[in-house]
Amino acid sequence: MSENASTASAASIPKPPGPPLWLLAEVTYQCPLHCVFCYNPVDYAQTGPELSTEDWLRVLREARAAGSVQCGFSGGEPMVRKDLEILVAEAHRLGFYTNLLTSGVGLTAERATALKQAGLDHIQLSFQDSTKELNDFLSHTKTFDLKRRTADIIKSHDWPMVLNCVIHRLNIDFIEQIIDLAVELGAEYLELANSQYYSWAALNRDNLLPSRAQLERAERITNACREKYGDKIRIIFVVPDYYETRPKKCMNGWGNVFLTVTPDGSALPCHTAKMLKGITFPNVRDMSVSDIWYQSTAFNFYRGDGWMKDPCRTCPDKEKDLGGCRCQAFMLTGDAANADPVCDKSSMHDRVSQAVAYAQVPDSQREVAKPMVFRDFKMLRHSDVR
Amino acid sequence: MSAIPIEVPTLMDLKTCPRVARMFKLQWEEVQQSWVLLYPEGMVKLNGSAGEIMSRLDGTTSIQTLISTLEQQFETPDLQADVLDFLVIAKRQGWVQA
């Protein structure tokens, strides 16, 4: 206590952050899929030209020098980039732990061999899942064959097999089949991540948010499967934060460990932060990674707690969750400095609880069926979705 | 010290030569001034003694040799219990394999 008291005067000055340990390189927004929960911006089609190979190599060097250790190659579908092997090789040479986050589309045996030679450490294979493909997958048709092939490629190159499946209202009831299939594919880790409601998933929220009964059933089944399969597979189940009463410590804090570089070179503290219109995010074409991380206005914007308003400012839990997610606060309340309305101390918590209440209404009893919005390039050029 | 016989796990046989497990990559991080273990999308920052132990596991050095090396290098006797305690934890975490 006495220590707290003596340092109280310095409390408003944020501690200098540690290094940007995690670099997420979103190398392209191009993707052959049309996932309804995609977190890429809904206006991704308006993004400027992609960074060149040289730009990315420089970003990798600068980030590594600044202390980054994990590098995720993501997108879009990163396999679309023909220079991916070059980027992975440089990341590996620099001492990054290299992760590829892919749907498996484009991951041929030849490219897998090249990526292995380049030093790729890990592949996270995601279930490509829009509703049609889900049916294909669950019925062992085309999609399953692709996953089988990709899983075999991953295994034969001695990569750890990590599967990721975004869970939502339309597939959560099939959770047991999904887990069984993951085991059948030989996955060592399975991440069942409930959709988070940003970007495309926010447009489709009413169609994607599961009911409480669905969620409880899924958790029960997941626990039973954990017992059944034991050490054979490790299953991680991520609950949708809408069902919580306290918000998540989003990205472990703004500008704390995580740095995303988007296809056009924007540097963000998380992959959806570009939606925060009041902040100008720096670009790696104009600024070094170190300056972006330590000096830029954007990365210092929500560091510390000086920006907080009530109820966060005076909340005993403020260090624990840092007021939740800035993007969620912005989307649901119009001001990113408000408490994340997932928190039941937020005066706007009803915006979350109303969505949760609606999620309890069975599809058959919903008066207006909202159409699902599939991620699509053409549609966006002619529409004004958020 | 205790009269109760202690069951020694297989790995902790002093003749075994553990190494860093397949899924993990161990490296010195200059910026953090520490040894870290990297794995799919994650990192464990090791404290000083954990780093000294982990960085000497090469699959050919026995635990016995490792202990003597550490005792000599740090001029500290009786490190066996500390080293074994750590290795039990490391094994449980999946960081090392025999």
Side-chain angles (χ1 to χ4, degrees):
Chain A
M1 286 311 278
S2 60
E3 196 183 316
N4 284 346
S6 63
T7 55
S9 59
S12 61
I13 302 163
K15 273 192 308 185
L21 294 173
W22 235 116
L23 171 68
L24 186 71
E26 291 185 331
V27 290
T28 183
Y29 280 146
Q30 296 178 65
C31 184
L33 307 181
H34 306 279
C35 298
V36 292
F37 47 73
C38 182
Y39 69 73
N40 284 170
V42 289
D43 60 353
Y44 75 96
Q46 268 100 54
T47 305
E50 286 185 1
L51 292 180
S52 67
T53 309
E54 280 311 311
D55 287 332
W56 276 116
L57 293 174
R58 183 176 46 79
V59 168
L60 291 171
R61 283 178 212 125
E62 290 177 359
R64 182 70 187 121
S68 298
V69 287
Q70 287 283 349
C71 179
F73 292 95
S74 174
E77 171 50 66
M79 295 309 301
V80 170
R81 285 282 297 221
K82 297 296 172 223
D83 57 356
L84 187 65
E85 290 82 348
I86 299 171
L87 305 183
V88 169
E90 181 65 359
H92 176 72
R93 191 189 68 77
L94 291 165
F96 276 106
Y97 191 93
T98 50
N99 307 273
L100 172 65
L101 290 75
T102 179
S103 67
V105 178
L107 184 65
T108 58
E110 291 73 33
R111 290 199 79 184
T113 304
L115 286 167
K116 187 73 190 184
Q117 279 165 1
L120 182 67
D121 290 299
H122 156 235
I123 294 179
Q124 186 202 87
L125 178 62
S126 62
F127 287 67
Q128 63 193 76
D129 169 49
S130 52
T131 44
K132 186 174 68 62
E133 284 149 343
L134 169 74
N135 291 333
D136 282 356
F137 179 75
L138 292 169
S139 59
H140 278 234
T141 55
K142 242 168 55 195
T143 313
F144 183 77
D145 291 341
L146 168 74
K147 295 302 162 196
R148 168 96 273 166
R149 250 192 339 270
T150 314
D152 288 346
I153 288 173
I154 292 173
K155 291 244 137 188
S156 68
H157 287 86
D158 200 29
W159 277 308
M161 173 79 177
V162 181
L163 267 181
N164 176 284
C165 184
V166 175
I167 298 296
H168 47 72
R169 190 178 182 91
L170 302 168
N171 67 7
I172 193 165
D173 293 334
F174 300 104
I175 203 136
E176 189 165 9
Q177 288 95 317
I178 293 169
I179 295 171
D180 287 346
L181 286 172
V183 171
E184 203 183 323
L185 290 171
E188 286 147 303
Y189 289 85
L190 172 64
E191 198 177 296
L192 300 167
N194 266 277
S195 179
Q196 307 265 1
Y197 298 100
Y198 304 97
S199 304
W200 297 85
L203 295 177
N204 292 313
R205 188 183 65 189
D206 288 346
N207 284 316
L208 295 177
L209 187 62
S211 70
R212 193 176 294 277
Q214 282 184 302
L215 200 61
E216 283 169 359
R217 178 180 173 274
E219 286 196 275
R220 214 166 43 239
I221 292 173
T222 303
N223 284 330
C225 288
R226 281 185 181 130
E227 282 203 13
K228 178 171 149 197
Y229 290 119
D231 288 343
K232 203 164 172 187
I233 187 165
R234 204 152 145 222
I235 308 170
I236 298 126
F237 187 89
V238 185
V239 191
D241 60 355
Y242 274 50
Y243 279 93
E244 307 281 3
T245 50
R246 287 288 174 274
K248 57 185 182 256
K249 189 181 184 183
C250 201
M251 306 317 288
N252 214 21
W254 178 274
N256 187 30
V257 289
F258 203 85
L259 168 66
T260 297
V261 178
T262 66
D264 67 349
S266 295
L268 311 174
C270 87
H271 30 279
T272 58
K274 198 77 178 274
M275 73 167 79
L276 304 176
K277 297 299 178 201
I279 303 177
T280 308
F281 289 98
N283 193 292
V284 294
R285 295 186 216 257
D286 315 319
M287 225 174 165
S288 75
V289 167
S290 174
D291 283 351
I292 286 170
W293 187 255
Y294 293 104
Q295 311 296 339
S296 74
T297 310
F299 277 76
N300 283 303
F301 219 91
Y302 294 114
R303 280 184 177 141
D305 56 15
W307 56 272
M308 284 181 184
K309 302 179 177 183
D310 281 329
C312 299
R313 201 172 55 83
T314 50
C315 180
D317 288 338
K318 69 175 173 183
E319 295 298 320
K320 210 154 88 189
D321 55 40
L322 300 170
C325 170
R326 304 283 53 81
C327 297
Q328 198 145 270
F330 175 73
M331 277 191 304
L332 298 179
T333 76
D335 181 354
N338 280 335
D340 182 337
V342 156
C343 185
D344 65 7
K345 292 183 184 177
S346 159
S347 59
M348 286 172 262
H349 180 61
D350 59 331
R351 299 188 185 180
V352 169
S353 45
Q354 276 163 16
V356 169
Y358 189 65
Q360 314 315 313
V361 179
D363 293 347
S364 56
Q365 289 171 30
R366 292 183 171 188
E367 285 181 10
V368 195
K370 250 172 112 183
M372 191 77 95
V373 184
F374 290 85
R375 177 190 148 131
D376 182 53
F377 178 79
K378 281 183 244 92
M379 183 204 81
L380 281 161
R381 280 187 305 185
H382 305 293
S383 68
D384 59 352
V385 283
R386 274 182 289 169
Chain B
M1 282 160 281
S2 162
I4 304 159
I6 297 163
E7 193 191 329
V8 182
T10 332
L11 171 73
M12 299 314 141
D13 181 331
L14 294 178
K15 289 199 236 29
T16 34
C17 306
R19 60 188 164 85
V20 177
R22 183 176 75 92
M23 188 94 87
F24 293 87
K25 195 164 143 185
L26 176 80
Q27 66 190 34
W28 171 257
E29 276 303 300
E30 200 54 39
V31 175
Q32 300 180 59
Q33 286 295 301
S34 69
W35 288 93
V36 300
L37 272 173
L38 300 171
Y39 57 95
E41 298 173 50
M43 181 189 83
V44 180
K45 185 172 174 172
L46 298 171
N47 66 22
S49 45
E52 294 299 339
I53 297 170
M54 288 295 288
S55 61
R56 285 172 175 79
L57 305 182
D58 55 9
T60 57
T61 306
S62 70
I63 298 177
Q64 183 66 74
T65 311
L66 168 70
I67 292 166
S68 336
T69 312
L70 290 168
E71 286 173 345
Q72 279 169 23
Q73 211 158 334
F74 293 94
E75 297 174 359
T76 313
D78 306 324
L79 285 178
Q80 178 161 324
D82 290 341
V83 173
L84 291 182
D85 280 354
F86 171 74
L87 285 174
V88 167
I89 295 167
K91 176 82 194 317
R92 202 182 304 137
Q93 297 288 336
W95 301 339
V96 300
Q97 56 191 72

